Amino acid sequence: QVQLVESGGGLVQAGGSLRLSCAASGRTFSNVYKMAWFRQAPGKERDFVAHIVWSAGNTYYADSVKGRFTISRDYAKKMMYLQMNTLKPDDTAVYYCAAKISAGVAYDYWGQGTQVTVSS
């Protein structure tokens, strides 16, 4: 099992910044291949934001956040981060941390989410 706990959400004005953190733990964490951030706005489906290959550090971003958000990880501390700059009201959502062990598209483990609200 892998446990994921997000933190760092809050209320920020448009143009501001926030840094989200995801703390990972669990006996099978060593099998994690990739971790990601997703978000879900009210009334909308959950959308991919960014992922990072845990061992190599390769990253990939959704077009909507490219150039504004940065995903990173602290390999030794089992922590993942999302630095969000130049925030827009459209970034308002619950942000989820996810971890992937298995092959295929789906992620296997999810955190409980942290609310990010961007006011105009």
Side-chain angles (χ1 to χ4, degrees):
Q1 292 293 325
V2 174
Q3 292 78 44
L4 303 171
V5 179
E6 303 95 335
S7 61
L11 173 64
V12 64
Q13 289 188 331
S17 298
L18 278 176
R19 188 194 194 205
L20 304 183
S21 299
C22 175
S25 62
R27 292 185 301 171
T28 58
F29 183 79
S30 59
N31 296 328
V32 167
Y33 165 67
K34 187 183 294 184
M35 292 188 67
W37 290 98
F38 288 78
R39 66 186 181 185
Q40 187 167 19
K44 296 187 178 180
E45 295 185 352
R46 189 176 297 185
D47 289 332
F48 169 81
V49 174
H51 80 226
I52 187 164
V53 177
W54 190 251
S55 59
N58 304 68
T59 60
Y60 182 80
Y61 297 90
D63 287 344
S64 59
V65 306
K66 201 174 294 182
R68 300 188 299 122
F69 291 10
T70 302
I71 189 172
S72 63
R73 54 94 165 100
D74 185 319
Y75 188 89
K77 293 183 179 179
K78 300 178 185 176
M79 294 289 297
M80 181 175 68
Y81 306 99
L82 187 68
Q83 178 66 43
M84 305 185 294
N85 298 330
T86 320
L87 283 161
K88 306 174 183 179
D90 284 349
D91 295 318
T92 295
V94 177
Y95 283 71
Y96 296 91
C97 168
K100 179 175 174 57
I101 290 178
S102 59
V105 177
Y107 280 75
D108 303 289
Y109 300 99
W110 294 84
Q112 83 289 350
T114 186
Q115 177 70 47
V116 171
T117 303
V118 184
S119 63
S120 56

